Amino acid sequence: MALSFLFSLILLSQTVPLISSSSPPSLLKPGSSLSVENKHDLLISPNGLFTAGFYSVGENAYCFSVWYTKLLSDGSHTIVWMANRDVPVNGKRSKLSLLKTGNLVLRDADQPLPIWTTTVRDSTESAQLKMNNSGNLYLQSQLDGQIIWQSFASPTNTLLPYQLLTKDTLLVSSRSSTNHSSGFYKLFFDNDNVIRLVYDGPQVTGVYWPSPELRAWESGRSTYGHRRIASMDFSGHFISSDGLFFNTSDVGDQPVRRLTVDTDGNFRAYSLDELRGVWRVTWQAISETCRLHGSCGENATCLYDPGIGRRCSCLPNYKMINHTDWSYGCEPEFKPTLCGNGEDNFLQLPHFDFYGYDAKYLPNTTLNACKQECANICNCKGFQFKYDRTQGFFLCYPKFKLLNGIISVNINGSMYLKLPKSISISSKNNKVVEGFSLTCSGKPTIQLDRAYDKNPKEESLKYLMLFTYVFGAFEIICIIYFFYRTRNPSMTTHGYLQAATGFKRFSYAELKKASNNFSNEIGRGGGGIVYKGALSDNRVAAIKHLKEFSNNEGAELLAEISTLGRLNHMNLIEMWGYCAERKHSLLVYEYMENGSLAQNLHSKKLDWGKRFDIAVGTAKGLSYLHEECLEWVLHCDVKPHNILLDSNYKPKVADFGLSKLLDRDGIRNSQFTRARGTRGYMAPEWLFVNLPITSKVDVFSYGVVMLEMITGRSPTDNANQSGGSVRRLDSWVTAVMAAADGKNDWIEEIIDSTIDGKYDKNRMEILVTVALLCCNEDKDARPTMSQVVDMLLHVEEDNSE
Ligand SMILES: *[C@@H]1O[C@H](CO)[C@@H](O)[C@H](O)[C@H]1NC(C)=O
Ligand SMILES: *[C@@H]1O[C@H](CO)[C@@H](O)[C@H](O)[C@H]1NC(C)=O
Ligand SMILES: *[C@@H]1O[C@H](CO)[C@@H](O)[C@H](O)[C@H]1NC(C)=O
Ligand SMILES: *[C@@H]1O[C@H](CO)[C@@H](O)[C@H](O)[C@H]1NC(C)=O
Ligand SMILES: *[C@@H]1O[C@H](CO)[C@@H](O)[C@H](O)[C@H]1NC(C)=O
Ligand SMILES: *[C@@H]1O[C@H](CO)[C@@H](O)[C@H](O)[C@H]1NC(C)=O
Ligand SMILES: *[C@@H]1O[C@H](CO)[C@@H](O)[C@H](O)[C@H]1NC(C)=O
């Protein structure tokens, strides 16, 4: 009985290829066409990776496109090519036809003229349209095998492996993540044979990569590559005739890759993470995304905010011109002054910079001289003023246009904005107007809409198809299962991880030996127990034995590990490897000599100078965690136990066990279902279901940790606190400050009296102030981690100078 059932199963599954192959055609013959209304009118590559057909780009708007067949985890498809991106056709009676003459014609029923054609002729009249395994859609003559047209020769915004960028082709970004029509960013071989990124917007145009400040050879390019040809192979090596070579971060055979000019103007290499159904960035042309030109338009600046990504803002006293589109920029709300009447004020904007459009360059000058210079130049809109450390003097750049604005902690100088005297330069009404955010990458967000009129005959076919697909899938699962069973069970995931992260994979036996049979326990936490061990190469390591995982959690762990592997910062704990064998999951980290901040809170070895350095280092580590553009990580459990100290008491943030990768959408409609973190350090928004969880939860915890480090009082131990009532640490500090009433001795009162030694009053006051800001109930009132770094570093500078 069971046997015959199995037999019929096998029989049925054998018929699957017959039925399914007859349905979506794999090629288009001369004289036939693909219709927008028939959802089976698709061309699929033999390996199934790519699909060509009509793709819905809006309500009743379709483009003939090539996309990856596989759905991403967010339910979207990634488009790699479009025939008619700027003129979508309508959803009824539009057709792509292959004429007998070999011409491919896209017609919209409402339009007399074709929307798009290949304008080629095939004298043999035998050409067929096919899609190959690389994603190339091509017309090939059946008589002489000649390829008479191919989509690879006219890319849109994406270059696939082995697709050539030549002197005749260019990549043009999409307008936005939801609008696939041609945008403003272009990648092409310039007249001097160098590949460049150019912003070609409605008002201005300019090269922004390679850096226009450098000459071609200074950025490693050669102008002598007359062939003008570039491409990437399946392993992730990119080679160009202008000397641009790069390897993606996951070099190796991983066939699903692409290179795309994203909607934000960056040129990125992606690899598909099949496990998670997301694209991973494996290389990008410009790492500081606010440096991308044109994103915010004229009279506006770009700020990278970890909570929302890149954000545009108008300059003070300017307003946005088009509220839906930042590329139009901002216009002044005031009347510009008459020329050279000396009736100008200058508003200082620290850490602002505007690239290009200098009216002059004045080295070795003073602020007053620079102000005078700008006041005298009629069209001077302001000037950049900065100190040049190497030459030992100030530089002045009066500007006649304010474009490519950026705000960043890394910019030491200031921008001085020219304003008429009638506007007072008090800081209050000169707040930078908050702007809209820009999304990070060009991830398509439209879902494929295949609505079509139902037809009873097709309905029954549909059920048969569904039936056969289910058995087909069942069979594939069985094959994969047996395949994995019969192979070394860990081989494949091993290879995958190695490529993705580059760590070492340890065997359980190896780690057992290294840790002397898990004998030297050094810590214990929610995620598992940590042991000290010595690896075979004599490195001392911390080995974390995680609690047992179910299979599902194991996958999560792998994802977690590959996230960790890509993070690399001096204030984050470094991970050396992992072990995943059946029930055992272990992580191997660098060993930190001085244990955690929790163990050292009351240690006299930790003087005030070291404590301040810990505050800065921890903030830098967290700020890095928050600010990587496409890999957005929250820690969610910042506490003294997770801040480890090396032999010099330099801090490293550890334990991302609770952190969760969130993409930008995930932040907005947060998917956290239960509170994470540790009592006492948890931000109030964890308790409210309807409040979104953002990086500001880490900022809150950081604030609490800083107060604990300064006062020596535990936020969880209420008995310690005045009055014995349940009071938050920050309320207590605020109360002490208020009682001191502006007098300077409050700092005496709050600092941990068991730690003796000198402290810098300025620094300590700033640290307390910043910590209190971080503890604000209102998450929007808390600074970002990078602002914290900025504020703490600023006092450092003030002191040393
Ligand atoms: C697909 O077509 C391109 C361009 O003709 C070619 O380079 C590539 O080798 C083809 N790929 C396959 C798998 O046939
Ligand atoms: C896409 O952008 C172009 C250019 O701004 C515009 O003309 C077109 O209407 C937009 N399409 C959609 C679907 O929003
Ligand atoms: C890229 O990797 C290849 C070997 O896979 C190596 O020969 C080459 O030097 C690497 N190129 C760069 C720019 O790192
Ligand atoms: C703003 O920009 C959008 C999209 O580019 C455009 O359709 C619209 O007409 C613009 N509005 C104004 C007032 O210029
Ligand atoms: C930017 O501001 C200046 C005045 O400072 C103004 O002349 C210019 O038109 C503004 N740009 C735009 C795009 O409105
Ligand atoms: C800068 O200017 C001052 C005063 O004009 C002069 O004394 C000094 O030598 C200059 N420095 C350099 C490096 O040129
Ligand atoms: C800014 O100043 C700091 C020290 O004050 C220095 O380390 C840093 O390199 C400077 N940054 C730039 C971009 O000059």
Side-chain angles (χ1 to χ4, degrees), residues 116-128:
W116 175 85
T117 111
T118 54
T119 55
V120 291
R121 274 194 81 86
D122 168 35
S123 48
T124 66
E125 305 210 338
S126 67
Q128 293 183 340

Side-chain angles (χ1 to χ4, degrees), residues 165-168 189-195 221-230 240-243:
L165 187 72
T166 67
K167 64 180 176 32
D168 302 317
F189 278 104
D190 210 344
N191 290 337
D192 61 355
N193 307 316
V194 170
I195 295 190
R221 309 294 190 84
S222 151
T223 51
Y224 302 110
H226 297 298
R227 282 181 64 224
R228 297 195 193 173
I229 198 162
S240 160
S241 56
D242 71 349

Side-chain angles (χ1 to χ4, degrees), residues 529-546:
I529 305 172
V530 189
Y531 303 92
K532 186 174 172 179
L535 303 180
S536 53
D537 57 5
N538 292 328
R539 285 186 299 177
V540 183
I543 301 170
K544 183 165 194 173
H545 201 158
L546 300 171

Side-chain angles (χ1 to χ4, degrees), residues 57 175 179 181:
V57 296
R175 196 73 173 77
N179 184 339
S181 62

Side-chain angles (χ1 to χ4, degrees), residues 624-758:
Y624 175 85
L625 262 193
H626 291 172
E627 297 200 5
E628 267 212 19
C629 189
L630 286 129
E631 303 292 342
W632 207 75
V633 183
L634 300 182
H635 189 294
C636 294
D637 195 17
V638 176
K639 56 181 176 180
H641 312 78
N642 288 335
I643 297 167
L644 303 186
L645 304 174
D646 72 4
S647 53
N648 297 317
Y649 291 95
K650 293 270 174 288
K652 294 198 184 207
V653 178
D655 200 352
F656 309 92
L658 294 175
S659 76
K660 178 152 177 137
L661 255 185
L662 292 178
D663 62 21
R664 270 160 222 295
D665 296 332
I667 294 150
R668 256 169 248 125
N669 34 50
S670 174
Q671 288 148 1
F672 282 88
T673 49
R674 67 195 161 87
R676 289 151 186 261
T678 305
R679 201 172 71 86
Y681 302 93
M682 267 162 59
E685 58 262 32
W686 283 116
L687 304 176
F688 301 98
V689 179
N690 53 354
L691 286 183
I693 295 306
T694 65
S695 61
K696 297 295 179 68
V697 299
D698 288 347
V699 176
F700 184 92
S701 309
Y702 172 84
V704 178
V705 172
M706 289 307 115
L707 291 181
E708 180 174 7
M709 187 172 79
I710 297 162
T711 61
R713 289 162 187 254
S714 161
T716 48
D717 185 2
N718 294 317
N720 240 347
Q721 292 168 15
S722 59
S725 63
V726 179
R727 252 179 121 177
R728 273 179 25 190
L729 202 45
D730 56 311
S731 330
W732 175 74
V733 172
T734 316
V736 173
M737 281 171 78
D741 193 22
K743 281 192 256 60
N744 251 349
D745 49 8
W746 58 268
I747 198 86
E748 282 300 322
E749 235 177 287
I750 65 159
I751 66 164
D752 186 350
S753 52
T754 63
I755 315 292
D756 39 40
K758 280 216 305 245

Side-chain angles (χ1 to χ4, degrees), residues 12 100 138 197 270 276 315 383 448 584-585 596 676-677 689 702 709 729 745 758:
L12 250 174
K100 285 257 165 46
Y138 62 104
L197 280 169
Y270 291 89
R276 286 155 60 199
L315 286 170
F383 61 89
L448 184 61
H584 302 295
S585 303
S596 69
R676 289 151 186 261
V689 179
Y702 172 84
M709 187 172 79
L729 202 45
D745 49 8
K758 280 216 305 245

